[in-house]
Amino acid sequence: MDRRSFLVASAGAAVALGLAAPAPARAATRPRSRFGRYGSPAARLTEHTLYVDAGGAGDFTTVQAAVTAATGSGCTLVIAPGVYRETVAVAAAATELTWIGASEDPRDVVVVYDHANGTPKPGGGTYGTTGSATTTVQADGFTARWITFANDWLRADHPEITGTQAVAIKVQGDRSAFLHCRFLGHQDTLYADSMALGTFARQYFAHCYVEGDVDFVFGRATAVYEQCHFRTLNRTDLAGAPYGFVFAPSTAVANPRGYLVTRSRISSEAPEAYYKLARPWVPGSDTTARPMLTVRDSVLGPGIDAIAPYTNMSDTYPWQSQRFAEYRNTGPGAVVTVQANRPQLTDEEAESATREAYLGDWTPWERC
């Protein structure tokens, strides 16, 4: 299923398509607010709570307008069900900003656009990978709950474009938390990064769903993915494996913590063994990078190539020289057949591969 078909099933259409059970019948009551239990413009929870509804029942009809109006620190945006087709930028000054999907179902609130790396810009040139992002978050202390972040640009629609990276969200701030969110795209879906090479941004993703094909979780952040579901997509434009790569970290050499995936699972729409678990990204802007990825206590489905789960993005920077490791994974894609191809943590090393060690004095899991 391509992104646009998937999004049709979002934002209230799931019941009509038979993808969700209808709500039980109930006695006639006062109509439920578009904002659920989170108040409304007429019954505002706090003076720093703003309401977004594409249908006009809120303070704003677009997410970006609400973000722009959320001056100062500590604002909350309550977003009513709907598909918000727009690009959104959260500047560094908008600290401690929270987005809440009012229905508490991430399928109902979708922020989506369709720029790709090679998409021509109106003023000339192209957007590039960073510029393709539907949502960009630079502020520290950002939290999102029950939101879908998507980029529905499709290769098949644009055979003339070779820059096919199409980012759903780029996150650069420290203490960025995403709880019960979805991230939909194909190449470069979730860009977990930082504001600068020397800045070690901490990010936390819990109970999230991420899908894509090429390098669809990538960047240099210190990021913990806990109880998340990663899904690799099928492809009809390639004749054989590999179809893509789940993770492509670009951790700075000075950063002792890169990506940690724990108590998660990876499933696939593609044939068995058609995906690599990861490849290291050493970008031209940081040729000293030493990518780091630990996957532990997770279920790796048959879509992952168990014999050779890692590969190089560039032979100049072989994956064996990077910081890749696994620990106590299960599933067909986790079977160790060639020991040299599957570096494993010792029990002692695993004691420091925890969310607490990665995130330090920041404890976002307490708000799950």
Side-chain angles (χ1 to χ4, degrees), residues 175-258:
R175 295 179 293 103
S176 299
F178 296 83
L179 312 174
H180 305 278
C181 289
R182 298 191 310 166
F183 305 89
L184 309 181
H186 284 267
Q187 182 172 355
D188 291 9
T189 304
L190 172 53
Y191 195 170
D193 206 52
S194 70
M195 286 292 288
L197 178 58
T199 302
F200 303 156
R202 297 165 296 173
Q203 299 169 15
Y204 181 65
F205 301 82
H207 308 284
C208 290
Y209 173 86
V210 193
E211 69 176 28
D213 49 39
V214 178
D215 304 331
F216 64 94
V217 182
F218 74 115
R220 67 175 171 233
T222 293
V224 174
Y225 306 89
E226 185 167 33
Q227 297 189 60
C228 291
H229 178 191
F230 304 91
R231 186 157 180 82
T232 59
L233 300 175
N234 202 6
R235 298 184 66 173
T236 58
D237 59 318
L238 296 180
Y243 277 179
F245 321 89
V246 182
F247 302 100
S250 58
T251 322
V253 66
N255 190 349
R257 301 284 186 265

